[in-house]
Amino acid sequence: MPRDVVARAARAVRREEFLPEAQRGHAREDRPLPIGHAQTASQPTLVAEMTRELELRRESRVLEVGTGSGYQTAILAELAAEVFTIERIPELALAARVRLRRLGYGNIHYRVGDGAAGWPEAAPFEAIIVTAAPTTIPPALVTQLAAGGRMVIPVGVNPDDQTLVKVTKDCDGRVTERPLFGVRFVPLVTK
Ligand code: SAH
């Protein structure tokens, strides 16, 4: 998907809508912002960059792990056919769902739970995006990636040393991992 298509989708989504009252004045700043429950909404340039790496098509079905505010979810919903999003904190999941419904998105499926297990009933996914960092790539997510699909996922043992990794699966099912750049995400919390 070309750069300008992702940029247009990002412009169509107002970040203010996804932030707590006290943070709205900062919506235009390109930095992560707190959304409560010790979680953060990623900075817009990183959201756009990760979205580009997914190489979405209009027909794509996308899995997102870490709904958070729902800001990234909205951008995915602008670009793809269907978005399946998983969040482990019920209050954040509910707030995002109410918000995204109010904004009119009808192509998003919501789940509360551990995203490291993926969403087997809806798999395979042409694209998977993870917005919290595990120490190693959850095998279930690789399994649920479609042949020809892409996953972007931050990986790292500590918050100061994480790498955004792009995982691709070719048509024969061969999996390749490529580091993209350094990032800072909240940890992916698994049971
Ligand atoms: N894309 C979101 C980022 C939110 S921060 C945004 O821009 O708003 C990462 C989110 O991942 C947090 O909401 C956190 O609760 C969630 N998370 C952490 N571990 C998770 C897990 N195992 N499964 C699902 N969600 C998880």
Side-chain angles (χ1 to χ4, degrees):
M1 186 164 278
R3 226 180 159 74
D4 57 310
V5 177
V6 174
R8 206 180 311 133
R11 275 196 301 274
V13 178
R14 284 167 40 85
R15 196 180 185 216
E16 288 82 351
E17 303 274 0
F18 296 86
L19 298 171
E21 197 72 52
Q23 295 299 329
R24 290 203 181 135
H26 301 292
R28 298 291 162 102
E29 297 167 24
D30 193 32
R31 61 180 172 94
L33 293 171
I35 57 170
H37 302 271
Q39 306 302 321
T40 58
S42 306
Q43 67 266 43
T45 49
L46 179 58
V47 170
E49 193 64 37
M50 290 174 74
T51 305
R52 265 180 226 114
E53 293 292 347
L54 292 178
E55 303 167 49
L56 296 174
R57 300 177 306 125
R58 275 279 154 219
E59 318 76 63
S60 299
R61 295 165 72 262
V62 190
L63 175 67
E64 177 189 44
V65 176
T67 315
S69 67
Y71 173 68
Q72 167 86 70
T73 321
I75 293 174
L76 298 172
E78 293 276 344
L79 294 167
E82 280 188 287
V83 182
F84 295 80
T85 187
I86 311 176
E87 168 60 50
R88 63 175 278 274
I89 301 177
E91 292 85 352
L92 288 178
L94 179 63
R97 181 182 193 143
V98 167
R99 192 175 282 146
L100 290 160
R101 287 260 167 87
R102 176 169 49 77
L103 293 172
Y105 294 102
N107 59 341
I108 303 171
H109 308 267
Y110 305 85
R111 177 172 276 188
V112 176
D114 180 6
W119 194 320
E121 305 91 322
F125 303 97
E126 195 181 315
I128 300 179
I129 180 168
V130 183
T131 64
T135 52
T136 57
I137 297 174
L141 298 183
V142 179
T143 304
Q144 291 172 35
L145 190 61
R150 285 88 37 206
M151 166 160 65
V152 286
I153 179 167
V155 185
V157 176
N158 69 66
D160 298 319
D161 187 22
Q162 298 171 355
T163 304
L164 189 67
V165 177
K166 182 166 180 173
V167 181
T168 52
K169 195 184 267 187
D170 72 15
C171 297
D172 300 319
R174 261 190 305 267
V175 175
T176 310
E177 288 176 26
R178 180 164 65 90
L180 296 176
F181 46 83
V183 285
R184 240 198 128 111
F185 277 88
V186 297
L188 186 85
V189 180
T190 56
K191 287 164 256 161

